[in-house]
Amino acid sequence: MTSPRTRECDVAIVGAGLAGLAAARSLTAAGLSVLVLEARDRVGGRTLNHALSDGSVVEVGGQWVGPTQLRVNEWIRDLGLELFETYDEGYNQFEYRGRLSRYQGAIPRLNPLVLADVAQAQARLDRMARQVPLDAPWRARKAAEWDGQTVATWLERHTHTGGARGFFELICEGVWAAQPADLSLLHFLFYIHSGGGLDMLISTDGGAQQHRIVGGSQLIAQRAADALGDRILLNAPVRRIIDDGESVALHGDDIEVQAARVIVAIPPTLAGRIVYQPSLPGWRDQLTQRMPQGSVIKCMAIYDEPFWRADGFSGQVTSTDGPVKVVFDNTPPGSSSGVLLGFLEGEQARKLGHLSLAERRDAVTACFARYFGPRAASPNDYVERSWAEEEYTRGCYAGYFPPGVWTTLGSGLRDPCGRLHWAGTETADVWNGYMDGAISSGDRAAREVIAAGVKVLPVPVAASA
């Protein structure tokens, strides 16, 4: 057996997603030597581009950028990337109990009683969300009460129509890739506050789905990685981290890295699978056991052209029936093709994840045909990504908190453990769960490391083999 490669640096970073890359950029700018260890053969984490046959690009991972997501927009400008607007012209569609209706604007045509019920519940939830401190949700005045119930429980008590409960179930699936019964109400409220309100989270025009990146969102990570050069090591999963009180050793399959400090920038559920010596404090390990990833399969059907536009449709659909409950026109700029994007989320992703690819394709295109006519049943190509199957992700969009976790263990989410620091979108206070939150979390972890006064190791970083 060959000896492992050995590297030394001031700060080692686990994960080359946006959080890890942000930390690396900040620390490098501060004059520290950095190594980023990435388990995959690519950078970008939960962002991933896919090239179509005509050379245009769609994203099978995270893709949207909203106008109030300041850090990711700053990166996009600094890295010389361009934005384009999500297609939002024509009629949207809403399916409820087998009935498909079309509408324009943000609000579907619903029974007035249902609309009133949705409005009162949303106003109440937004008001409650503003009472949750972003840096310490467990300190909210009603934290124990809110963390002691699920979103489903609250909806049962505070909505009066099945239509309103169906609407908020769609929101939970679309935003968290989870069911209302999965989510702590406190986490739901924190997340709403983190994103600037419920409307901001679910809207296209002016909201979190307003823009996409020309050439695909993975370009953000790729451009950032280009500037870091050989500070990034691919195909380098970290299996064990040893903190001896003076420095930290990271052990992989064929690499060892010695560092003064470490930033672990991967989802908590994955961070919990690394072996630590000494063992992590019980509260930290318990936290990682209680932060599941959402369940989502991102599905795209590719056609000769975006024919639904000529029929007057925006391509945007929401449905209480499913199994595809959220649909967008995902056609990239300059493409000769048309692309419909459908999400299988939460319970639907868990159920259909057991099926074969062919069976899932049939289920997805059957939904598209229901929404846009028989032509949608026969795409030229079909692309999907089940993030629960990804070894180094195990679900999307992010880790979430079930009941009881914020108030008992949440205070340790960002707390360093010895020389180990934590980053990742799950640790962000603003735009938690989004690309913007990932970047700000990396910046915050880098500031922690700098404030801790890194004892620079005497041996400089070696060039990557």
Side-chain angles (χ1 to χ4, degrees):
M1 180 179 294
T2 59
S3 299
R5 295 177 289 161
T6 302
R7 300 285 188 273
E8 296 196 12
C9 61
D10 299 330
V11 185
I13 299 169
V14 181
L18 292 177
L21 295 173
R25 280 166 57 109
S26 294
L27 293 168
T28 300
L32 296 175
S33 63
V34 171
L35 278 176
V36 183
L37 288 82
E38 169 55 50
R40 299 178 175 92
D41 60 359
R42 62 174 182 84
V43 299
R46 284 167 267 187
T47 62
L48 180 60
N49 288 349
H50 177 86
L52 301 180
S53 60
D54 64 1
S56 60
V57 170
V58 293
E59 302 97 332
V60 293
Q63 66 178 56
W64 282 296
V65 176
T68 64
Q69 295 174 355
L70 304 182
R71 288 297 286 130
V72 71
N73 276 293
E74 181 182 350
W75 270 40
I76 288 165
R77 290 191 298 271
D78 290 348
L79 295 170
L81 299 173
E82 297 180 8
L83 296 172
F84 69 98
E85 291 191 356
T86 301
Y87 191 79
D88 195 28
E89 300 176 16
Y91 287 105
N92 302 329
Q93 296 186 85
F94 178 68
E95 185 180 49
Y96 179 61
R97 293 181 177 176
R99 182 178 178 183
L100 195 62
S101 61
R102 62 179 65 180
Y103 66 98
Q104 289 183 305
I107 303 174
R109 292 180 180 177
L110 293 171
N111 181 299
L113 291 176
V114 173
L115 284 175
D117 199 14
V118 168
Q120 68 83 20
Q122 180 173 339
R124 191 169 184 172
L125 289 165
D126 277 328
R127 185 170 62 251
M128 292 158 61
R130 290 191 292 270
Q131 300 173 38
V132 178
L134 291 179
D135 62 341
W138 56 91
R139 291 187 182 143
R141 186 170 62 87
K142 294 187 176 181
E145 176 186 337
W146 292 340
D147 205 30
Q149 60 184 299
T150 66
V151 177
T153 302
W154 189 90
L155 291 172
E156 285 294 329
R157 293 174 180 168
H158 298 285
T159 58
H160 310 288
T161 62
R165 287 187 285 276
F167 175 82
F168 285 104
E169 180 175 340
L170 273 173
I171 288 176
C172 284
E173 291 171 339
V175 176
W176 288 270
Q179 302 304 124
D182 296 328
L183 295 170
S184 158
L185 178 62
L186 179 61
H187 184 65
F188 184 87
L189 297 173
F190 157 74
Y191 208 90
I192 292 173
H193 191 185
S194 176
L198 200 49
D199 276 341
M200 185 67 71
L201 292 178
I202 65 177
S203 295
T204 300
D205 185 17
Q209 285 69 235
Q210 178 166 298
H211 286 117
R212 294 169 60 197
I213 292 93
V214 176
S217 60
Q218 194 186 2
L219 279 179
I220 302 173
Q222 290 169 337
R223 294 273 179 94
D226 288 344
L228 291 167
D230 61 9
R231 298 178 183 91
I232 299 174
L233 305 178
L234 301 179
N235 299 303
V238 173
R239 310 294 186 187
R240 186 159 49 107
I241 298 178
I242 302 173
D243 182 354
D244 66 8
E246 296 293 328
S247 64
V248 188
L250 295 85
H251 296 262
D253 296 337
D254 64 347
I255 189 169
E256 294 180 6
V257 173
Q258 195 83 14
R261 287 191 177 261
V262 171
I263 295 174
V264 179
I266 56 179
T269 190
L270 295 183
R273 300 180 188 192
I274 297 173
V275 175
Y276 299 88
Q277 293 177 266
S279 298
L280 291 179
W283 53 262
R284 174 69 200 187
D285 191 69
Q286 289 276 304
L287 177 63
T288 64
Q289 293 179 44
R290 287 164 170 78
M291 286 190 67
Q293 296 284 92
S295 303
V296 62
I297 305 174
K298 193 173 184 182
C299 311
M300 278 173 271
I302 296 91
Y303 304 89
D304 289 331
E305 60 181 352
F307 59 85
W308 51 91
R309 296 181 182 180
D311 295 336
F313 292 111
S314 67
Q316 294 181 36
V317 183
T318 49
S319 167
T320 60
D321 299 352
V324 176
K325 295 187 176 183
V326 178
V327 181
F328 281 88
D329 179 333
N330 219 43
T331 307
S335 176
S336 60
S337 302
V339 181
L340 284 175
L341 163 62
F343 292 97
L344 300 170
E345 296 165 311
E347 185 178 39
Q348 298 299 333
R350 298 168 196 167
K351 288 180 177 178
L352 273 70
H354 291 280
L355 302 182
S356 69
L357 173 62
E359 289 171 319
R360 252 190 325 272
R361 171 178 170 146
D362 288 346
V364 170
T365 54
C367 285
F368 290 164
R370 201 165 73 233
Y371 305 146
F372 300 105
R375 189 173 176 184
S378 303
N380 297 333
D381 196 7
Y382 173 83
V383 176
E384 70 168 31
R385 179 69 56 156
S386 175
W387 285 92
E389 303 298 327
E390 295 283 321
E391 181 179 3
Y392 298 114
T393 307
R394 307 314 296 186
C396 275
Y397 306 106
Y400 61 84
F401 284 74
V405 182
W406 266 123
T407 49
T408 58
L409 297 166
S411 62
L413 180 63
R414 306 179 191 95
D415 286 355
C417 297
R419 294 176 170 271
L420 307 183
H421 301 258
W422 313 102
T425 190
E426 289 83 4
T427 70
D429 51 10
V430 175
W431 283 110
N432 185 286
Y434 289 77
M435 293 187 285
D436 189 82
I439 292 170
S440 65
S441 78
D443 292 338
R444 185 259 313 148
R447 290 193 300 270
E448 287 178 3
V449 167
I450 293 168
V454 176
K455 181 181 178 182
V456 179
L457 293 180
V459 182
V461 142
S464 176

